[in-house]
Amino acid sequence: MVGPFVPAVLVAAFVAQLSSGAAMLQRVKADTSVSVEKVRPGEPITLSVQVTPDRKIRVFAPGSKDYTPVFIAIGPNRDFSFGKPKYPIPSRESVPGTKKKVLLYKDKFTLAQTITIDPKAARGRMLRITGTLHYQACDDRSVFAQSAMPVSWTVEIQ
Amino acid sequence: MKLKPIVASTLAIAVATLPVAFASGRQAATITLTGTARKEAKRPYPNYSVRARLVADGSIAASVPLDGTAGFSIPNLQPSSYLLELINQDAKVVCTEGPIAFAKNTDRISINCGRDRSQVLLLLAAAGAAGITAGIVTAGDASPSR
């Protein structure tokens, strides 16, 4: 015979296990935005992520050989197609452990990804687009392991 | 509310296995590599750094400076094969360790350029013995000509 509290205890234990996963240490902050909040099927919109590195943190940019450059990964979706991503111009700087200059973002920067809503997409609903911001960062002493954080945007298809 | 033991057992198993199912859909756990480069680095140790190079694509996964006791700790790495490189203050690779496949947190890594001191001593001893033998042989060969 089992008391009424046992299932509750088991569920609580389950929730505790789920929440015990160590969160990945983040060294940047990311704010998402969309060019327009309401869009019609067939129209393009731009998804943006403004990345703000923490103090003394720099982020590897595309073209930085040997390191993982920052990028946004968005899974395929029938409701839209992808355009080309846009990256700001990085600066070339020294990195700990090498004398070569590497392409880096040291200040706040914005990544932009254009998508075009499928002409046959159903109207009158909210479309939530989820993705992941991948990046590798360094400071003046260390190069940190690659990190990732979830990002999302919501637009209304009208 | 009363539950039969079998129902309770089933519930317990389900609850226990659910996190595994959830975890499989999440990002794999990261690992931390900890060790020392005392055998190869010279003081001041913080002038040196240890770099983990991903064998799969040659990219630099991370690099950290040595601490005051020549120790290092590289956190948040994905389980994979890494080549550990010891870098001096001139950004030159002093020596490498590996590649080693790391599947879980690993400590007591000792960067010693792949040289085991006992093996080196054994090699020196063997070389010394061979040299003596060669000397004897040479002396033997040389005597008749004199």
Side-chain angles (χ1 to χ4, degrees), chain A residues 10 14 66 97 136 141-143 145, chain B residues 15 18 51 60-63 65 76:
Chain A
L10 289 170
F14 164 64
D66 292 339
Q136 188 173 19
R141 297 280 291 156
S142 303
V143 175
Chain B
V15 167
L18 267 172
R51 192 159 69 186
I60 295 166
S63 78
N76 300 321

Side-chain angles (χ1 to χ4, degrees), chain B residues 68-125:
Chain B
T69 60
F72 65 89
S73 180
I74 311 176
N76 300 321
L77 290 173
Q78 297 295 323
S80 188
S81 290
Y82 293 98
L83 180 70
L84 298 178
E85 301 172 334
L86 181 64
I87 314 292
N88 68 11
Q89 65 268 34
D90 297 322
K92 295 275 173 63
V93 177
V94 176
C95 70
T96 62
E97 185 75 33
I100 304 170
F102 295 100
K104 58 182 181 180
N105 289 344
T106 308
D107 55 6
R108 297 180 186 177
I109 299 168
S110 179
I111 295 180
N112 61 4
C113 299
R115 292 195 299 267
D116 184 340
R117 231 172 258 283
S118 60
Q119 285 180 357
V120 171
L121 289 173
L122 209 64
L123 199 67
L124 286 172

Side-chain angles (χ1 to χ4, degrees), chain A residues 88-130:
Chain A
I89 297 171
S91 54
R92 195 176 288 272
E93 296 195 11
S94 297
V95 171
T98 176
K99 284 190 169 177
K100 293 177 185 173
K101 301 271 185 173
V102 178
L103 295 170
L104 290 163
Y105 296 118
K106 58 179 179 179
D107 298 313
K108 189 185 293 184
F109 62 96
T110 301
L111 307 179
Q113 172 68 58
T114 303
I115 63 167
T116 302
I117 303 297
D118 190 282
K120 295 176 183 173
R123 295 166 180 258
R125 65 193 174 97
M126 302 301 286
L127 172 64
R128 183 176 162 81
I129 303 158
T130 57

Side-chain angles (χ1 to χ4, degrees), chain A residues 1-4 7 10-11 13-14 17-18 21 24-25 27 66-68 96-99 136 141-146 148, chain B residues 1-3 8 11-12 15 18-19 22 26-27 30 46 51 53 58-65 75-77 87 90-91:
Chain A
M1 193 165 66
V2 180
L10 289 170
V11 169
F14 164 64
Q17 283 187 60
L18 272 184
M24 191 174 278
L25 180 63
R27 293 184 169 83
D66 292 339
Y67 302 93
T68 303
T98 176
K99 284 190 169 177
Q136 188 173 19
R141 297 280 291 156
S142 303
V143 175
F144 303 109
Q146 185 186 331
Chain B
M1 186 176 75
K2 292 181 179 178
L3 292 175
L11 184 64
V15 167
L18 267 172
F22 270 77
R26 293 186 304 189
Q27 195 166 8
T30 58
R51 192 159 69 186
R53 190 179 286 275
S59 65
I60 295 166
S63 78
V64 293
N76 300 321
L77 290 173
I87 314 292
D90 297 322

